[in-house]
Amino acid sequence: MDFVHDQLFNSRKLRALTIVDNFSRYCYAIEVKTSFKGINVAEVMESLKMKYGVTPQRIQVDNGSEFTSKDFDRWAQTNNVTLDFSRPGKSTDNPFIESFNGSFRDECLNTSWFLSLEDAAEKIEAWRMEYNCFRPHSSLNGKTPDEVMEQHQTMPENSILEL
């Protein structure tokens, strides 16, 4: 998991919480808001747990306040999820999410003009669906993340979410 920052047409800030699985490169969600707190991250993770019926064993995160909050820590402990914090200033500790965020910025954020948070959420979700379902990845032997997920039906035990 990680955050990407951008803005609307009127310079109003927006943040996108990106949630990607290291194993399959599947992007589970990109949540868009003007700001996030730890409770918001926990709510997103709880909704993904309900939607997919599983939780990851481990989540890689940076040391941002949203990920070090009591609310998110409580969610992780309640769900037996290990939080794997990267070393401060070492983005190379979390290369999959950094690569994903680079593609997300280049292919979606830098090419789109967002009129509102709702407009941003719609355009970002369309990009996420294309990324998961229609774009083969060389790291996945030419398969899409969706095809890899279909092979495993559920989140594989060795999945690691990048937050």
Side-chain angles (χ1 to χ4, degrees), residues 3 15 61-69 85-86:
F3 287 99
R15 294 184 80 196
V61 292
D62 61 26
N63 291 285
S65 60
E66 304 86 358
F67 303 134
T68 59
S69 74
F85 292 96
S86 60

Side-chain angles (χ1 to χ4, degrees), residues 2-4 14-19 27-36 40-41 43-44 47-48 104 121 124-125 128:
D2 200 11
F3 287 99
V4 179
L14 69 83
R15 294 184 80 196
L17 172 65
T18 56
I19 302 173
C27 177
Y28 283 93
I30 303 176
E31 185 74 20
V32 179
K33 293 175 150 305
T34 55
S35 65
F36 280 88
N40 303 122
V41 176
E43 290 168 349
V44 170
S47 71
L48 291 175
F104 174 47
I124 288 168
E125 179 61 13
R128 187 186 76 83

Side-chain angles (χ1 to χ4, degrees), residues 99-114:
S99 175
F100 174 85
N101 286 347
S103 296
F104 174 47
R105 174 154 308 284
D106 291 345
E107 299 168 13
C108 181
L109 299 178
N110 289 349
T111 63
S112 300
W113 189 252
F114 304 123

Side-chain angles (χ1 to χ4, degrees), residues 117-129:
L117 281 178
E118 295 78 18
D119 182 48
E122 287 176 19
K123 289 174 180 173
I124 288 168
E125 179 61 13
W127 181 85
R128 187 186 76 83
M129 295 303 296

Side-chain angles (χ1 to χ4, degrees), residues 76-88:
Q77 285 186 345
T78 301
N79 290 282
N80 297 316
V81 175
T82 300
L83 297 178
D84 184 6
F85 292 96
S86 60
R87 297 171 293 171

Side-chain angles (χ1 to χ4, degrees), residues 48-61:
L48 291 175
K49 176 181 133 180
M50 301 306 284
K51 181 177 180 177
Y52 293 100
V54 294
T55 55
Q57 291 180 348
R58 181 170 70 98
I59 301 174
Q60 283 184 292
V61 292

